[in-house]
Amino acid sequence: MIPLNELMNRSDGWGRAMGRKVFQRLLAHVESHPDQTTFRISFKGVKRADVSFCSESVVEIARRFKGSKGFCLVDVGTSDLEENLDAAARRVEQPLMIWDGQKARFLGLPVSPGNQEALAFVLERPQARAAEFAQTRGISIANASSKMKQLWATGFLMRRESAADSGGTEFVYQRIA
């Protein structure tokens, strides 16, 4: 868990300059944990943050590591803070996951209508394979794989390689939580 307010050294995040400083601290934390693929950023103790701060810190760290590391936001206490995070993420088409411990929701880039069902399938479980999704929905594995790959490439999911039953390689998709 990364306590954002400790990286901010205060409860309010304002402006691009402060956002860049906090980004550098987030980056140092991520780089000091090279084997970790998912990070939770806690907003506990953060009272306010403007769009510029959110853009330069949290959204930028998620954008920089899209596809290789995932960032999940927790303890986002106010609707104003959530609104500013959403505006910053939408500006650069970056999805941001908010996790409340039981349910995920996204800010920023909305999931495409054609991929909503695949995303919901993965979010319901700790991990999923395209073949599982294809079987439950009666679609081709290629179609299911394409949907999941798009979700991973746009930053909605994480993925890792795994050995397939056939002896080849297949991807296992995971929610960012």
Side-chain angles (χ1 to χ4, degrees):
M1 181 86 64
I2 303 171
L4 190 63
N5 72 328
E6 289 179 16
L7 300 181
M8 295 165 58
N9 297 319
R10 55 196 272 191
S11 62
D12 296 325
W14 297 107
R16 293 198 181 281
M18 183 181 179
R20 287 183 191 118
K21 286 179 188 175
V22 172
F23 169 80
Q24 290 302 320
R25 294 173 187 150
L26 283 167
L27 182 61
H29 180 86
V30 171
E31 289 178 341
S32 70
H33 297 85
D35 295 333
Q36 188 173 341
T37 57
T38 303
F39 296 86
R40 288 180 178 220
I41 300 175
S42 173
F43 279 76
K44 189 173 186 171
V46 176
K47 292 181 183 171
R48 296 181 292 184
D50 70 357
V51 173
S52 296
F53 172 84
C54 293
S55 177
E56 294 295 332
S57 58
V58 176
V59 173
E60 187 56 33
I61 199 78
R63 227 168 70 106
R64 180 173 186 148
F65 287 100
K66 186 186 317 188
S68 62
K69 296 188 185 288
F71 297 87
C72 172
L73 312 182
V74 297
D75 306 318
V76 178
T78 69
S79 59
D80 290 338
L81 182 54
E82 191 172 311
E83 203 172 295
N84 287 342
L85 284 161
D86 184 49
R90 281 182 186 272
R91 187 181 303 163
V92 294
E93 298 183 332
Q94 172 66 45
L96 288 177
M97 177 189 257
I98 292 183
W99 181 255
D100 70 9
Q102 298 177 24
K103 185 179 170 193
R105 53 195 172 83
F106 289 90
L107 302 176
L109 178 69
V111 65
S112 69
N115 288 336
Q116 287 176 350
E117 192 176 21
L119 179 61
F121 181 82
V122 177
L123 293 178
E124 292 170 354
R125 51 195 44 79
Q127 62 182 25
R129 292 173 161 70
E132 296 167 337
F133 178 64
Q135 183 179 8
T136 63
R137 299 308 190 267
I139 60 175
S140 71
I141 292 176
N143 186 0
S145 181
S146 175
K147 289 176 183 297
M148 290 187 176
K149 183 178 179 182
Q150 287 175 352
L151 289 166
W152 165 75
T154 53
F156 286 97
L157 299 173
M158 295 296 298
R159 79 175 187 182
R160 62 179 171 78
E161 284 188 20
S162 178
D165 294 338
S166 64
T169 300
E170 83 178 315
F171 291 105
V172 176
Y173 293 88
Q174 298 170 291
R175 61 184 176 216
I176 302 169

